[in-house]
Amino acid sequence: MDTLIAAFIAVAVTLFFVRGYLKQLTAPQQTRPAGPRGDAVAAPAEARPCPRCNCSIAKGTAFCPHCGAALAMWSIHSAAVQSVAVEGGAKGKLQPVINASMCVGCGSCVDECPETGTLALSGGKAILAHPERCVGHGKCAAVCPTSAITLAAEGILQTVKVPFVKENFETNVPGVFIVGELAGMGLIKTAINEGKLVIDHLKQRFETANSGSPGGDYDVVIVGAGPAGLSATLAAHQYGMRYLTLEQGEIAATIRQYPRHKFLMAEPIDLPLYGTLYVADGTKEALLSVWETILSNTGVRVATNERVQQVLRNGSGFQVPTAKGRYSTRQVVLAMGKRGVPRRLEVRGEELSKVCYRLIEAETYKNEDLLVVGGGDSAIEAALALSRSASNRVTLSYRGDNFRRARERNCAFLEEAEQSGRVSIKRNSRVLEIRPDSVTLDVEGRAVDLPNHYTFVLIGGESPEEFLRRTGVEIVEKVLTA
C-alpha cells in the first residue's frame, strides 16, 4: 500500500513539473518594462496566426499551443525581404552568427576558416571561439550545409539568398511550392515535416475548391525523392491524391549522395503511412535501408531517372516536361535540394551508396581507401582534408596534367602532401568503373585497379537557381532576426 501511495505521489509531482515546462514553452516571450519598484509589469503580446493551423498565437511562442508545431521551422519563410545597410553606408567587418538549433556539428566551418581557432566545436555545436581573429570573408557561411551560419556587421544580420517562399510553402508563382533544403533549411527532420505539411495544405485547398472534375493528369507533381519529397509522396498517397513523383536519379538518390559519413537524428520523426522514424548516430547506409523499406512496404510510386527540365504555366495548371514525357498537373511541389544537380561521371557503379558528391566531416574517415575525382579547389581541399588522418590511403584522380584552375595556396599544399606520400595523384586519368570494394582508372591509357571504400566526385554541377528563374520563382535576400 505504501508503495502504491509513493508511486501516486511521484506521478503527481512529475505531471506538475511537466505541465509547468510545457506552459513555459508555449508562453509568449514578452517585453516587461520595470515598474516603480523594479517589478515586472505585464505587457500585451502581439498575436500572429500559426502557419500550420492558422490559430492565433502570441508572438515569441516556441510551439503552437493548438497543433504543437515548432514555429522555428518557419523562421526563414517569415523573415522580411529586405537589405541591410549599416549607418553611414559602410557595412563594417562581417562576423558569423551561428543558429545552434540548425547547427549539426559537422565542422565544415571550422575546417574552411583560414584563421585557425576562430571557430571551434563545443558540445557538438559550432561556436565563435575567438571573434577577434575573424576577418569577415564569410567562407564559413558558404560551406555550412544547413544554413546555420549567417553574417553580421556591427551586430546587424546580413541577408541570406533564398527562393521567395511563403509560410504555406507557396512561391511567388501561385501553385508552385518549395519544401526542404532548397527553401533554406538543410535539416532532415525539417525537410520531412515540411513535405507532409505542404500536402496537408494542398488537401485543404482542394477540399475548399469548386466542385467538379479536376483538371490535369495529376493533382500534384512532386519533384525530388529526398527526405522532403518522399514525405510529401507518402502523404499524397495516404490522402488518395493523383500524384506523380519524379526523381532524376535512382530511388533515394539524395540519401545515397548524402555528404556525411555519419549523422545524428536527435529525435524521432513521424512519417506518413510509416510511423516513427528514428535513426540515431548512424550512417547514410542505415538511413538508406530504412528509405528502401518505406518504399517497399507502403506501395508509393516514384518515377526514377527522369529529370524535370522546367515547369510551365498551362491555364490554371502546369505542364511538367521531362525527357520521357510531358505531364499536366494542378500543383507542383519542388523538393530538389539546394546543392543543385552535381555533375556525374556516368560510369558503371556510380549509383552505389559509397559515391558522394560533397565531403563533410572528413575526420570520421579513418583507415579507409579513398578516391577523390576532380581538379578544382573543392577536390584538392577534400583530398587534403581526408589525408590529415595518417591511416587513410587517399588518391586524387584528375583528367588533366596540372591544376591551373586551383588556387596557388591549395596547389602548394597538394604538392607537399604528394611529396610526403599522404596523397597519391593520378594525372591524366579518368574513372572507368566503381565497384563495392574497388575502382578502375584509366591512367594514360592503362587500366589501374585500386582498393576503394568511398569515392568523392567533385567535378562541379548546375545550381538550382537557373531552374527556379526559368520557372518564374523569385530569388530574394532575407534577414533572419535573432
Side-chain angles (χ1 to χ4, degrees):
M1 186 67 176
D2 292 341
T3 303
L4 182 61
I5 294 174
F8 177 79
I9 294 174
V11 170
V13 171
T14 301
L15 290 175
F16 174 79
F17 283 107
V18 168
R19 179 177 178 272
Y21 173 69
L22 293 176
K23 186 176 181 180
Q24 182 180 17
L25 285 179
T26 57
Q29 300 174 352
Q30 302 178 16
T31 302
R32 298 177 181 270
R37 296 181 302 168
D39 300 330
V41 178
E46 181 182 347
R48 58 167 289 197
C50 170
R52 182 181 185 186
C53 67
N54 209 37
C55 290
S56 179
I57 56 176
K59 185 177 180 180
T61 303
F63 298 89
C64 175
H66 305 281
C67 69
L71 300 178
M73 186 187 309
W74 289 276
S75 60
I76 293 180
H77 304 78
S78 59
V81 178
Q82 60 184 12
S83 59
V84 175
V86 177
E87 186 178 352
K91 290 189 175 182
K93 186 177 75 171
L94 300 177
Q95 285 194 328
V97 176
I98 302 169
N99 185 334
S101 65
M102 295 172 62
C103 176
V104 294
C106 67
S108 299
C109 55
V110 178
D111 294 337
E112 182 68 17
C113 182
E115 287 69 50
T116 304
T118 302
L119 295 165
L121 291 179
S122 176
K125 301 290 183 179
I127 62 169
L128 185 58
H130 290 282
E132 73 280 0
R133 300 180 187 177
C134 179
V135 299
H137 48 60
K139 293 181 180 179
C140 53
V143 301
C144 180
T146 63
S147 300
I149 301 180
T150 51
L151 300 175
E154 299 181 4
I156 302 176
L157 284 177
Q158 297 299 292
T159 55
V160 291
K161 202 172 184 181
V162 292
F164 177 82
V165 180
K166 305 173 188 175
E167 290 186 339
N168 65 356
F169 310 106
E170 192 169 24
T171 68
N172 60 290
V173 180
V176 175
F177 298 77
I178 292 179
V179 292
E181 185 186 39
L182 185 59
M185 286 190 175
L187 298 178
I188 290 179
K189 64 178 181 180
T190 303
I192 290 174
N193 287 332
E194 289 184 0
K196 180 182 185 304
L197 288 174
V198 73
I199 297 301
D200 287 345
H201 173 77
L202 289 182
K203 179 174 180 288
Q204 295 176 1
R205 178 175 291 193
F206 293 155
E207 288 173 349
T208 57
N210 294 330
S211 59
S213 177
D217 300 326
Y218 299 97
D219 295 320
V220 59
V221 167
I222 301 164
V223 183
L230 181 57
S231 178
T233 301
L234 289 167
H237 189 88
Q238 182 181 34
Y239 294 146
M241 291 184 180
R242 301 176 304 153
Y243 72 90
L244 173 65
T245 300
L246 300 169
E247 168 57 52
Q248 67 175 357
E250 299 293 336
I251 288 291
T254 302
I255 301 302
R256 294 179 192 274
Q257 297 169 13
Y258 199 59
R260 290 181 180 82
H261 191 197
K262 291 187 176 182
F263 64 93
L264 174 65
M265 189 177 290
E267 66 270 345
I269 301 171
D270 289 329
L271 271 171
L273 290 181
Y274 178 77
T276 301
L277 171 64
Y278 186 39
V279 185
D281 193 21
T283 63
K284 70 175 184 180
E285 288 79 10
L287 184 57
L288 179 60
S289 176
V290 173
W291 235 240
E292 291 172 338
T293 300
I294 293 171
L295 291 166
S296 62
N297 290 351
T298 59
V300 298
R301 305 176 302 277
V302 178
T304 60
N305 297 304
E306 194 160 0
R307 179 180 175 184
V308 173
Q309 299 167 344
Q310 56 185 328
V311 176
L312 304 172
R313 171 68 69 181
N314 181 34
S316 60
F318 299 91
Q319 288 283 334
V320 182
T322 71
K324 297 182 179 180
R326 193 177 185 93
Y327 310 102
S328 60
T329 179
R330 299 168 70 184
Q331 313 279 281
V332 177
V333 173
L334 302 178
M336 304 181 299
K338 70 177 182 182
R339 285 187 290 270
V341 182
R343 190 172 295 122
R344 296 170 59 87
L345 297 172
E346 303 297 342
V347 299
R348 183 181 302 174
E350 194 172 8
E351 74 282 354
L352 295 173
S353 63
K354 73 172 192 174
V355 179
C356 306
Y357 296 85
R358 194 178 179 193
L359 171 65
I360 293 179
E361 297 169 347
E363 69 278 2
T364 64
Y365 297 85
K366 299 183 185 300
N367 196 28
E368 309 271 20
D369 292 296
L370 306 168
L371 173 67
V372 179
V373 183
D377 285 313
S378 60
I380 294 175
E381 289 167 2
L384 292 172
L386 292 168
S387 72
R388 289 174 191 152
S389 173
S391 63
N392 288 331
R393 282 81 59 188
V394 181
T395 300
L396 177 61
S397 171
Y398 179 46
R399 62 184 179 181
D401 57 3
N402 61 67
F403 298 92
R404 63 173 61 94
R405 293 189 294 113
R407 288 180 292 181
E408 184 177 346
R409 186 183 67 174
N410 279 337
C411 291
F413 289 154
L414 182 62
E415 182 179 358
E416 188 276 328
E418 182 182 25
Q419 291 175 353
S420 64
R422 292 187 292 114
V423 177
S424 173
I425 302 177
K426 304 294 183 186
R427 295 173 175 82
N428 300 309
S429 66
R430 61 186 181 91
V431 178
L432 294 178
E433 184 178 358
I434 303 172
R435 293 177 293 276
D437 57 359
S438 64
V439 295
T440 299
L441 302 180
D442 178 334
V443 183
E444 297 182 338
R446 178 172 55 93
V448 176
D449 292 330
L450 299 174
N452 179 255
H453 294 105
Y454 291 92
T455 297
F456 299 91
V457 181
L458 305 175
I459 56 177
E462 177 186 335
S463 166
E465 282 193 18
E466 183 57 36
F467 173 87
L468 293 176
R469 288 193 175 95
R470 290 199 304 267
T471 303
V473 176
E474 185 180 0
I475 307 296
V476 298
E477 291 189 352
K478 290 192 171 186
V479 175
L480 302 182
T481 56

